[in-house]
Amino acid sequence: MKRKHKTARWAVCMALALQVFSTQAQAQAQAQALDLVGAYEQALRHDPAKLAADEALLAGREKLVQGDSLLKPSVGLQANLGRLGDRSSGVDSSGTLRQATLQLTQPLYDATARAGKQQLHQQARLAETRFDQAQQGLTQRVAEVYLGVLQAQEALRVTLAEKTAIAMQRDRAQARFEVGRGKVTDLQEAQARYDQILSKEINARSMLELRSAQFEETTGSRAEALASLVPGQAVKPPEPDSLLAWQLKGEEQSSAVRAQRSQLEIAEAEIGKYRVSGRPTLSLVASYSAKEQSGDLSPVAAPDNNRSGYIGLQFNMPLYSGGGLDSKERESHARRREAEQALAATKRDVRLQVQDAYLTVRTGVSRIAAAEQSLVSARTALEATTLGRDVGTRTELDVLDAQQRAFAAELELVQMRLDYLLGRVRLAVAAGEIGDAELRVVNSWLATP
């Protein structure tokens, strides 16, 4: 009797220990779960395209320094060391000649340099815009690979559930056939459905592996404990609910449009630079020179310990350059027209991207509602069909068809929700409004597993 009580107490203790261990393991898994914001932060440190954009930004910011330097003073040092021979006095003499010159030049008027400074500053702004474009592109790519993994996981989960249900129907058909209450056609149909679901499972596992690899390449993290979709989240249309308003935002704020607009400004600055390239320049020049010689050279041929200083104005007027400057100005005009057309094309693409994303979000509201109702109807139909089979009015094939429709409706609802979320991200990116706020709104649809 005592042994039975000890065994019971031991079983209770083991059950409690397993429950505590399971709770701790679940809490640890939740603590280590990666949501969309966390995946984006990981990608910021890992994605090669983003890291390349960081370096491009640093390089672009140097254009500001280079532009400012065009109108700042420049200082140069020139030194010469040579061997000199002299026969001017009828006597051969030779020696070493050393000479050094320190010169400072300060532009006073240089229209070409001013135009070049403006162009370099615009190139720096272009680098900033392209960096924003790279960040927004990374946000969209992270959302795509993250939601892609969730879609593949749900597809595999539904496929496995469907496989289990079909296996149960097959076993039921087998049992009914063995006792003489079922048809061989029902058994064969159930087996055929089971073979089909095995192929579907292989495809689902392959897709999940591919999506997980894409996620890992983008973020540097494994797609093993991602936050999943929260069921029943309320959906709402875009704010403002106007396609024209979103398209106007895109034409003004989109990083792609802003980058192309900067390209147009750079092309216009190029025209201005060559337009003023024929103007004179005026600079302040100051220099200091020192000459020394060693040997038996005559002071007439090579003065020794000669020091001289100079300060004055230097005027330079270009007269003819073989037609090269005129040709470059004509080229710059063609480049500007090219940039204008490229800007128009970019605005067109942005309008279409905004429209596509806007309609995805706008119609997603009604599509999700329809998918939810479809799932309810499919499950109700499955229950009715199963009951009809039990009372003899429906067949096993009818139940298999109803099960397949129910699982398809479940997967379609998940896909509609994921499309809606991805549409929100794409709309914000196309309109140039993507940021932490929008990313966290999308992230609120996710819960730790």
Side-chain angles (χ1 to χ4, degrees):
M1 197 71 172
K2 291 182 178 179
R3 186 173 182 179
K4 291 183 178 179
H5 286 303
K6 290 181 178 179
T7 304
R9 284 197 299 269
W10 179 84
V12 172
C13 291
M14 286 299 296
L16 291 174
L18 288 174
Q19 183 178 2
V20 172
F21 177 78
S22 177
T23 302
Q24 291 177 347
Q26 184 178 5
Q28 184 178 7
Q30 290 179 350
Q32 295 176 351
L34 190 65
D35 59 8
L36 183 58
V37 173
Y40 175 71
E41 293 173 351
Q42 292 281 356
L44 287 175
R45 299 187 292 268
H46 175 79
D47 184 64
K50 171 59 174 58
L51 297 178
D54 293 341
E55 300 302 325
L57 176 62
L58 294 177
R61 286 173 174 170
E62 294 300 324
K63 297 293 185 181
L64 293 172
V65 181
Q66 297 169 19
D68 294 339
S69 68
L70 295 178
L71 297 178
K72 289 183 178 181
S74 60
V75 180
L77 175 63
Q78 182 180 4
N80 298 320
L81 176 64
R83 188 71 177 173
L84 181 65
D86 180 33
R87 293 184 179 181
S88 59
S89 60
V91 179
D92 292 341
S93 61
S94 61
T96 302
L97 178 64
R98 296 178 293 275
Q99 180 177 355
T101 301
L102 181 66
Q103 180 172 303
L104 178 144
T105 303
Q106 169 63 60
L108 299 179
Y109 174 78
D110 191 336
T112 304
R114 291 186 181 277
K117 174 184 176 180
Q118 180 183 3
Q119 187 180 41
L120 288 170
H121 280 213
Q122 289 168 347
Q123 290 177 0
R125 288 194 292 271
L126 175 61
E128 297 280 352
T129 303
R130 284 178 172 169
F131 177 76
D132 294 340
Q133 188 176 10
Q135 277 194 314
Q136 294 179 10
L138 178 64
T139 304
Q140 181 171 328
R141 284 190 289 113
V142 170
E144 289 174 348
V145 297
Y146 190 103
L147 298 179
V149 171
L150 295 188
Q151 190 275 336
Q153 289 176 343
E154 287 297 314
L156 179 59
R157 181 189 65 79
V158 172
T159 301
L160 293 177
E162 187 176 359
K163 174 186 174 182
T164 302
I166 294 176
M168 292 176 62
Q169 294 299 324
R170 182 196 59 181
D171 296 341
R172 176 184 173 87
Q174 178 71 35
R176 289 174 61 86
F177 176 74
E178 290 176 352
V179 297
R181 298 179 57 188
K183 300 178 182 178
V184 67
T185 54
D186 290 343
L187 177 59
Q188 292 172 344
E189 179 65 27
Q191 184 62 47
R193 296 289 182 95
Y194 186 79
D195 294 337
Q196 290 176 357
I197 202 65
L198 289 179
S199 176
K200 188 176 179 181
E201 179 187 357
I202 294 174
N203 293 334
R205 291 187 183 277
S206 177
M207 181 57 66
L208 177 58
E209 184 177 352
L210 175 61
R211 296 285 176 81
S212 298
Q214 292 172 341
F215 179 84
E216 185 173 354
E217 289 293 334
T218 303
T219 64
S221 301
R222 297 184 63 84
E224 294 179 346
L226 300 185
S228 56
L229 277 177
V230 176
Q233 283 281 74
V235 295
K236 58 182 180 180
E239 296 178 1
D241 192 4
S242 169
L243 175 59
L244 180 59
W246 281 99
Q247 287 180 328
L248 291 176
K249 284 184 180 181
E251 291 185 4
E252 291 298 323
Q253 301 175 178
S254 170
S255 57
V257 173
R258 289 190 290 114
Q260 198 57 54
R261 191 176 290 121
S262 294
Q263 291 281 21
L264 177 59
E265 293 173 353
I266 292 172
E268 291 175 346
E270 186 80 359
I271 294 176
K273 185 171 66 175
Y274 288 114
R275 183 179 292 130
V276 299
S277 59
R279 295 184 183 180
T281 61
L282 182 65
S283 303
L284 174 67
V285 179
S287 64
Y288 177 78
S289 300
K291 297 180 181 179
E292 294 182 353
Q293 60 99 352
S294 61
D296 53 357
L297 289 170
S298 168
V300 177
D304 190 18
N305 291 328
N306 184 20
R307 305 289 188 269
S308 63
Y310 168 82
I311 185 170
L313 298 176
Q314 178 177 305
F315 177 83
N316 182 31
M317 178 65 180
L319 298 177
Y320 182 67
S321 60
L325 292 179
D326 293 336
S327 175
K328 289 181 178 180
E329 184 177 353
R330 291 193 298 270
E331 179 187 358
S332 63
H333 279 282
R335 295 297 183 188
R336 183 190 63 182
R337 293 191 296 271
E338 177 188 6
E340 288 175 345
Q341 296 303 320
L343 176 59
T346 302
K347 287 183 176 181
R348 176 203 61 199
D349 294 341
V350 166
R351 287 194 300 268
L352 293 175
Q353 291 169 6
V354 168
Q355 182 174 2
D356 181 43
Y358 174 85
L359 293 177
T360 299
V361 178
R362 187 69 181 84
T363 61
V365 177
S366 55
R367 292 173 67 191
I368 290 174
E372 290 174 342
Q373 184 59 46
S374 176
L375 178 59
V376 172
S377 300
R379 287 174 175 174
T380 302
L382 175 59
E383 294 176 359
T385 305
T386 303
L387 180 60
R389 179 204 60 191
D390 294 339
V391 299
T393 60
R394 306 299 290 270
T395 65
E396 293 289 346
L397 180 58
D398 294 332
V399 174
L400 288 173
D401 290 338
Q403 284 180 341
Q404 187 174 16
R405 287 192 293 270
F407 285 120
E410 184 178 354
L411 185 58
E412 183 182 15
L413 176 58
V414 173
Q415 186 65 57
M416 293 299 100
R417 289 181 173 273
L418 293 175
D419 288 345
Y420 170 81
L421 291 179
L422 188 56
R424 290 197 59 153
V425 174
R426 288 174 174 170
L427 179 59
V429 170
E433 289 195 339
I434 190 67
D436 291 341
E438 182 62 27
L439 201 61
R440 294 187 184 279
V441 169
V442 176
N443 197 60
S444 66
W445 279 59
L446 306 174
T448 54

